[in-house]
Structure formats: C-alpha cells, structure tokens
Amino acid sequence: MSYKRFCLGVVLLPLPFIMFIGIMLYLYDAGQVWHKPYFRDTKFFELRVHSRMQNKALIDFYEFDSIIMGSSMMFGMSYKEAEEKLGGSWVNMSMSGSSMHDKAVVLEYAFKKKEIAQMIISLDWIEVIHNSNTDSFNYLYDDRMLNNMKLYLDLNFIGCALTWSNSPKCIGDRDSYKQIMRQNDISLDREQGEIKWLENNRNEKLDSKILESAQKTWEINPKHIDMKPHINYLENNIFSLVRDNPNTTFHFIMPTHTRLIYRIQPASEFYVWREVMKYFVVESTRYSNMKIYGFDDLAYADNLGNFIDGTHYHTSLSSMQLDSIKNNTNILTAENIETYLNAMEQKIKDYDLKHIVNIMQRQDKMQQ
C-alpha cells in the first residue's frame, strides 16, 4: 500500500461513523428542530430556560395564533389568562435577557411560518443600542436546515441520540409546549413588602448604592442625544415588524420597575430612556395595528412588595396588563406621553430612600 493510499484511508475511515452519528442526531432530534419525535416520548424543554432553542419547534410544528414575547419580565404572563381575556390560542415564548434584536430574530421567523393574530411584546432596554450577538441561536431561524446540526454538536446530545434516551436531560421534562413560566406571586402591603424585599435582595453593592443615593437629589439635566442610532434600532427591530405584518395586532408593554431601582441609578440614564420612549410612542401613531401600554404612573411601582427584585414585577401586574389590553386602558399616545413621563419622573424624585435606609439600619441591629 502506497503512503498516499494509507493517508487517504486514515482520513476516510471515520466517515461512516460520523455519518452514522449525523443520521442518529437527525432522527432523534432532541429539540425538534427538524421534526416531531420519532419512536420516543413527545416532551419539551422548560421554555424559561431553553426558549431560544425550543421556540423553533413551537413555530414549525405546533398550533397557536398569538404570541407573548418578552424577556424574563414576561415570565409571569399566563397564556391561559391571555386566552380567557383576549381569545385566540396563545403561547409564551419569552426569552430571558432578550433584547429587542433577540426577539426580532425569532418573531421574523414566526411570521414566515404562521399567521399571527396578536402579539404581546415587552419593550426591554429599548433605550440601549443592543448589537447583541445572536450567534448562539440565530442559525436555527435561517433557511439552511443543515445549520441546525450545530445545536447537537455536544457530547451530551450525541450520547442521548446513540442510546435513544427518554431522559429529561435529553428531551426535556415538560408535557406541553404551552407552559406556565412562573406561578402566581403573593404581593404584600407596602410596609411588609419593603421589609421582605430588603431581606431577600440586600447585598453589599445594593446597600452602598442606596446609602449613597439617599444623600443626593435625583435631578435630570437635559442634554443633546444623538437619536439616529436609536431610530435605526427601533426601525430594524420593531417598526419593520409592525409595518410588514398589518394583519397582526401588536401590544407593546413598557416594563415597570421599582421606584427604588430608578432612584439609585443615574438620572441621565432615565433621561435617555425617556427621550427614546417619547419618540417611540409618537412614531407609533403612524401604525394602526400597534398599541403601547404603560403602568409607571400608577402606585404599583411604589410598593416593593409587588416585586421579586428591582425589576421583576409580580404576576398581579401581568394580569393588569392583560386587563388593559382587553379594556383598552393605560394606552400611551402622542397626546398623553409627556404627561405620563412627567408623572413617572416625579414619582421617582419623591421616592423616600431615607425611609428605606431606616429599615436597613433596623435590620442590621436585629442581626447584631
């Protein structure tokens, strides 16, 4: 045997085994990115953890006509409650930590595959130009089926496919693609809520920010903002979706954070968010198939007992949001956005951080 033939044999020898693994991965298809399950249980991964991957199967193979799409802010919105209040067949496809660009990758694909009646979308970090790297999942939502194999180039998935396992770690442990991402939270009154929230959330960094901010006034100093990058971002990830899908009704939710979290952050950050939100609301009047809802002018955000942490609100607000969509209330318009933002800004200014500091000091004394 010549040296060239020997080298060729060494190179080609693994090919049958590699082809066999590829075929097994395709047939097993743990995440259902190519097809529904063959000869195994139909299970789904937990969406609140694996939605970027699992949403592909939901869009391709399962029935629904309306979508809840947010970051973890929207985990508390129940698809069942949406169906009861708004009609239709809903699924919650929210992706933890998702920017508007992340959402757009999945939603653009959904529109290619399905007729969508309604969408509820949270406006997460709308003021930040997120050139987010979607390489970890965007290949699932292109037109090249072979790219889906990237998902399974992992020893765990290969082992699962070769043993045709029904283990939850291989194929998930959920029986349905319609999942309740977070159970109902129990809200407390303001006094008890502040105590409990601080017990659950205090750390050295947060304590330092609260103590420092309590000694300062929170005041916005208007400055020039280059709106062009923000306008391009909104156009590419939101307005283009709305414009290209006129038969879909879009409900955009402005996420409500605690007054505390705004109060301890620089007022300059709020100012940028305020200006971008104002532009977004005014520009939205060009489209008859979208509405924007806001709740920061209500007393809800004053009570820490309505929140898990600084930004994640309880399921009670998710219910309020669905009620507002059903009843056409709490809608932001070009006519009321300035009043709304002024009221929100004033509530942040008026938030009593010294009262929070007093609670922290009492808690510290009790631990001594």
Side-chain angles (χ1 to χ4, degrees):
M1 179 183 297
S2 70
Y3 177 73
K4 287 185 178 180
R5 287 184 178 181
F6 174 78
C7 291
L8 184 63
V10 171
V11 172
L12 296 180
L13 186 62
L15 284 182
F17 180 66
I18 292 172
M19 291 179 64
F20 173 73
I21 290 177
I23 292 170
M24 289 295 291
L25 287 171
Y26 171 80
L27 294 174
Y28 184 72
D29 193 10
Q32 304 180 55
V33 296
W34 285 301
H35 53 75
K36 287 186 175 182
Y38 299 147
F39 313 114
R40 65 171 177 82
D41 296 340
T42 299
K43 294 286 186 178
F44 301 87
F45 290 95
E46 184 180 9
L47 284 172
R48 62 179 289 161
V49 180
H50 301 286
S51 54
R52 284 172 172 78
M53 175 266 287
Q54 192 69 95
N55 284 340
K56 160 80 170 173
L58 271 58
I59 294 167
D60 284 346
F61 307 119
Y62 296 94
E63 295 302 317
F64 58 87
D65 62 28
S66 297
I67 295 173
I68 299 166
M69 173 58 85
S71 65
S72 54
M73 300 291 178
M74 300 291 274
F75 282 176
M77 184 169 282
S78 164
Y79 77 88
K80 289 183 178 179
E81 190 176 356
E83 291 176 347
E84 291 169 0
K85 293 180 176 179
L86 307 179
S89 177
W90 288 80
V91 64
N92 193 334
M93 301 173 68
S94 296
M95 305 182 296
S96 180
S98 58
S99 68
M100 301 310 297
H101 179 57
D102 295 331
K103 298 179 184 69
V105 170
V106 177
L107 295 180
E108 285 173 0
Y109 183 80
F111 278 118
K112 292 179 183 178
K113 298 291 183 175
K114 276 182 163 51
E115 292 185 3
I116 307 297
Q118 299 185 75
M119 279 193 180
I120 301 175
I121 304 174
S122 62
L123 296 168
D124 303 292
W125 305 292
I126 191 173
E127 80 285 8
V128 180
I129 307 302
H130 274 270
N131 295 315
S132 49
N133 188 339
T134 59
D135 290 349
S136 64
F137 71 96
N138 64 11
Y139 60 86
L140 295 171
Y141 300 95
D142 60 25
D143 297 323
R144 295 181 290 275
M145 290 182 60
L146 189 60
N147 281 349
N148 298 345
M149 188 63 75
K150 295 177 185 178
L151 178 66
Y152 299 138
L153 298 181
D154 173 273
L155 289 177
N156 176 64
F157 278 130
I158 292 172
C160 292
L162 292 177
T163 58
W164 210 265
S165 174
N166 273 325
S167 168
K169 73 175 184 178
C170 292
I171 60 173
D173 61 355
R174 302 305 165 105
D175 294 323
S176 175
Y177 63 97
K178 291 193 171 190
Q179 298 177 17
I180 301 294
M181 290 192 172
R182 201 173 80 226
Q183 298 300 322
N184 289 339
D185 305 293
I186 300 175
S187 293
L188 301 172
D189 62 43
R190 185 164 180 174
E191 182 180 357
Q192 293 300 314
E194 289 168 341
I195 295 170
K196 190 67 176 177
W197 189 93
L198 287 168
E199 288 176 352
N200 292 336
N201 289 282
R202 285 185 65 182
N203 56 56
E204 187 175 340
K205 184 177 180 180
L206 179 63
D207 284 7
S208 177
K209 280 192 172 184
I210 292 174
L211 292 170
E212 180 183 351
S213 300
Q215 305 302 317
K216 299 178 180 179
T217 57
W218 191 86
E219 197 70 43
I220 289 178
N221 296 310
K223 61 180 182 180
H224 172 72
I225 297 172
D226 180 7
M227 288 295 293
K228 187 175 180 179
H230 297 284
I231 292 170
N232 290 338
Y233 184 75
L234 296 176
E235 167 61 28
N236 293 334
N237 296 295
I238 300 180
F239 288 129
S240 60
L241 277 176
V242 175
R243 184 172 55 252
D244 294 343
N245 299 281
N247 295 323
T248 301
T249 300
F250 292 82
H251 306 285
F252 290 97
I253 304 290
M254 183 191 301
T256 296
H257 303 328
T258 62
R259 306 280 187 229
L260 184 150
I261 209 69
Y262 279 118
R263 182 64 178 77
I264 65 175
Q265 291 177 344
S268 58
E269 293 182 8
F270 176 83
Y271 179 71
V272 174
W273 174 86
R274 174 186 172 126
E275 293 303 295
V276 173
M277 181 56 67
K278 183 165 61 175
Y279 170 85
F280 179 70
V281 172
V282 172
E283 187 70 9
S284 72
T285 59
R286 297 175 55 189
Y287 306 97
S288 61
N289 60 326
M290 70 175 286
K291 294 179 181 177
I292 306 167
Y293 304 81
F295 303 86
D296 285 281
D297 58 341
L298 306 179
Y300 190 93
D302 296 331
N303 180 8
L304 290 174
N306 290 325
F307 291 82
I308 298 171
D309 51 32
T311 57
H312 293 87
Y313 48 79
H314 282 180
T315 50
S316 57
L317 185 54
S318 298
S319 294
M320 289 170 59
Q321 292 165 350
L322 290 172
D323 287 335
S324 292
I325 294 172
K326 177 183 178 181
N327 299 319
N328 283 308
T329 59
N330 302 98
I331 297 173
L332 301 178
T333 66
E335 291 71 32
N336 69 16
I337 185 60
E338 193 71 37
T339 301
Y340 174 90
L341 292 171
N342 287 341
M344 180 181 177
E345 182 179 327
Q346 191 61 49
K347 285 179 176 291
I348 297 170
K349 284 182 182 179
D350 294 342
Y351 189 75
D352 188 1
L353 274 185
K354 292 182 179 179
H355 170 66
I356 299 299
V357 170
N358 290 336
I359 298 174
M360 292 165 54
Q361 291 172 342
R362 290 199 299 269
Q363 289 177 339
D364 292 341
K365 286 181 180 179
M366 290 177 63
Q367 292 177 358
Q368 289 176 357

